[in-house]
Amino acid sequence: MKFMILHGPNLNLLGKREPAIYGSITIDDINSSLVELAAELGCELAFFQSNSEGELINAIHGSVLECHGILINPAAYTHTSIAIRDALSAVGLPVVEVHLSNIHRRETFRHISMVAPVAVGQICGFGGDSYLLGLRALYKYVKNSL
Ligand code: DQA
């Protein structure tokens, strides 16, 4: 089994970016912990980060060729991107949406997710652990549906 891990805009700055909200964890720390978990679960991962909506959409389209599911933190595009939602819907792979922060206790514009209605589920508020919980959930969901 293989999963695509997608990180949206500004997540390349984790560690330096608003540490009071996102903590000191970096994107490399997150990816390393996911690689460890994948070894435990016995699955493969592909990683992609972009600050560009179109590149994320191309990565979503590409996922269908080799992946069984998508774990995505769409970052700010969560709240705005019908195009990313449509791409996820178009490829039809199971999707788990994750966020480091609890978007529902932040500004009201973050309470809306364009992606949530096309995702199996959403995990937010657990910092880097949101990704680990998300991968476990996605793995189990796909395994149960094979
Ligand atoms: C985020 C939450 C979004 O609202 C924000 O735009 C981000 C990060 C999170 O992981 O908590 O860039 O997706």
Side-chain angles (χ1 to χ4, degrees), residues 25-38:
I25 197 163
T26 66
I27 193 170
D28 289 343
D29 296 334
I30 291 169
N31 290 346
S32 302
S33 65
L34 286 168
V35 166
E36 271 178 40
L37 176 59

Side-chain angles (χ1 to χ4, degrees), residues 46-128:
F47 295 94
F48 186 69
Q49 188 277 329
S50 179
N51 297 318
S52 144
E53 192 175 25
E55 286 185 359
L56 289 164
I57 290 166
N58 288 339
I60 292 166
H61 292 175
S63 302
V64 81
L65 299 173
E66 52 166 11
C67 294
H68 298 88
I70 298 175
L71 183 73
I72 184 167
N73 182 348
Y77 286 137
T78 306
H79 319 298
T80 62
S81 182
I82 296 167
I84 287 179
R85 173 207 178 115
D86 282 355
L88 291 168
S89 193
V91 299
L93 291 172
V95 174
V96 172
E97 174 188 347
V98 297
H99 301 280
L100 295 120
S101 63
N102 180 351
I103 56 173
H104 303 288
R105 58 193 285 194
R106 298 183 62 193
E107 302 96 324
T108 49
F109 66 83
R110 293 185 206 276
H111 298 178
I112 303 286
S113 169
M114 296 293 161
V115 170
V118 298
V120 177
Q122 181 197 69
I123 297 171
C124 67
F126 296 98

Side-chain angles (χ1 to χ4, degrees), residues 5-6 8 12 18 22-23 27 43-44 68-69 82 103 108 119-120:
I5 312 295
L6 291 177
N12 55 311
E18 300 184 87
Y22 300 114
I27 193 170
C43 62
E44 281 182 69
H68 298 88
I82 296 167
I103 56 173
T108 49
V120 177

